[in-house]
Amino acid sequence: MALDEIIISRAIIETYTKKLMDSLELDVAICGAGPSGMVAAYYLASAGKKTAVFERNLAPGGGMWGGGMMFNEVVVQEEAREILDELDIKSVEYTPGYYTADSVEAVCTLGSKAAKAGARFFNLVCIEDVMIRENRITGLVINWSAVESAGLHVDPLTVRADYVVEATGHPVEIMQVIESKMDTRLNTPSGRLEGEKSMWAEKAEEHTIENTTEAFPGVYVCGMSANATFGSFRMGPVFGGMLRSGKKVAQEIINKAK
C-alpha cells in the first residue's frame, strides 16, 4: 500500500482536533505531568472523571525521568510501595523500608496507565492564565509552550474545568498566576505563596501529604507544588510522597465531587 502524505497529515490534525475539542470542558484539569500529576490522572480517570493533563514540556515525567543526578533510579518508601504494585511498576528492596525503581520504567508506566484509564494528555501546552469567577477557578487559559518560549504575541484558548490540580512542581506556575491577581487570597497562613525551603527529605515527605489540599477554591495542590505553596521542604529523588500525594488529591476531588 502506497503512503499518502496528505492522509497522514489529515489523520493527525483531525484526530488531535477531536481530542482537544472533547477536552474543552472537563471534570478535572491537571497542570503538570510529573509523577504526582500522572498518579492523580490515573485515579481520577479510573473513577470516571473526565480528566486531561497539560504538560509544557515535550515529554511527561517531571523530575522523575532523571532519577538522582542522572542516575535513573528513584527511591520509594514502604508506605508508597502499594501504589507501585497496583500500577505494575517493579521495585526492589534496598534496605528495610526503602525500595528502588527504574525511573524510566516508572514514568512510562505511569503515563501509560493514566492514558489507558481514560486521561487525555496534551504536551507542549502551557498555562498562561486562569479564569476566576466569584472567587473560584473555573478554567485555564492555554497556549503552546513554543509560543511562550519564542515570546510571540499569540492569543490563547480556554478550557473549562470543575477542578484544577496544580502539579507543576517547584515553579508552582498555576498558584503564581492566581497569586498575581490582586483580589485573590490563597488558603495559606499568609494568604500568599509561602515558598519552598531547603532539602530535608524526611520532613518534606511528611509535609507533601499534609499539604495536599485545596489551596484556592477549585484548585488543589499536590507533589512538590504542595510544599512550595505551603512553605515546606524539598525532598530530592525520593518519590513516595509524590505518589501518595497524587493519590490523595484524586481521592479528595472524587469525594468532594460526589
Side-chain angles (χ1 to χ4, degrees):
M1 176 180 172
L3 291 177
D4 187 321
E5 291 84 359
I6 299 303
I7 291 177
I8 295 169
S9 296
R10 283 177 175 164
I12 292 171
I13 294 168
E14 289 182 7
T15 304
Y16 185 92
T17 301
K18 183 179 184 300
K19 180 171 65 175
L20 182 59
M21 288 285 288
D22 191 48
S23 300
L24 294 180
E25 295 184 90
L26 299 164
D27 294 326
V28 186
I30 299 175
C31 306
S36 60
M38 289 195 289
V39 169
Y42 167 75
Y43 285 107
L44 286 162
S46 296
K49 299 301 178 186
K50 190 176 181 182
T51 304
V53 184
F54 299 93
E55 167 59 48
R56 68 163 51 249
N57 294 313
L58 178 61
M64 185 178 263
W65 268 124
M69 211 177 79
M70 295 193 292
F71 293 88
N72 63 341
E73 294 282 333
V74 294
V75 173
V76 173
Q77 314 91 300
E78 180 70 49
E79 297 87 343
R81 191 189 178 201
E82 65 178 33
I83 298 176
L84 295 182
D85 291 344
E86 180 181 351
L87 295 173
D88 197 27
I89 298 171
K90 183 175 65 178
S91 62
V92 177
E93 186 176 34
Y94 177 74
T95 193
Y98 293 82
Y99 296 82
T100 61
D102 183 284
S103 65
V104 175
E105 178 194 354
V107 168
C108 293
T109 305
L110 286 175
S112 175
K113 291 287 186 178
K116 289 181 183 299
R120 303 274 181 79
F121 281 80
F122 296 93
N123 59 333
L124 296 170
V125 172
C126 64
I127 313 302
E128 81 173 41
D129 203 349
V130 296
M131 294 189 293
I132 300 177
R133 301 291 184 271
E134 298 178 356
N135 202 46
R136 190 184 192 283
I137 292 294
T138 60
L140 302 173
V141 181
I142 63 172
N143 214 327
W144 301 117
S145 52
V147 167
E148 179 187 67
S149 298
L152 302 176
H153 182 72
V154 176
D155 282 326
L157 297 173
T158 55
V159 173
R160 183 178 298 154
D162 293 336
Y163 294 96
V164 169
V165 174
E166 155 68 276
T168 65
H170 302 279
V172 281
E173 295 170 11
I174 311 309
M175 298 308 299
Q176 287 203 56
V177 170
I178 296 171
E179 184 185 49
S180 71
K181 309 303 175 183
M182 299 305 294
D183 58 343
T184 59
R185 180 178 174 83
L186 308 181
N187 298 337
T188 62
S190 67
R192 313 300 293 175
L193 283 172
E194 302 293 336
E196 179 185 302
K197 296 181 180 178
S198 61
M199 186 181 291
W200 188 353
E202 180 182 7
K203 290 297 182 183
E205 288 289 282
E206 296 172 8
H207 294 172
T208 301
I209 309 305
E210 296 171 10
N211 293 331
T212 298
T213 187
E214 192 171 28
F216 185 79
V219 181
Y220 285 77
V221 290
C222 69
M224 196 56 236
S225 291
N227 285 352
T229 297
F230 285 94
S232 190
F233 303 90
R234 64 181 300 179
M235 71 285 288
V238 56
F239 283 85
M242 303 284 280
L243 302 178
R244 293 170 62 206
S245 175
K247 184 174 183 178
K248 180 185 176 183
V249 79
Q251 291 172 333
E252 297 235 342
I253 292 173
I254 291 165
N255 291 337
K256 190 161 186 178
K258 286 181 179 177

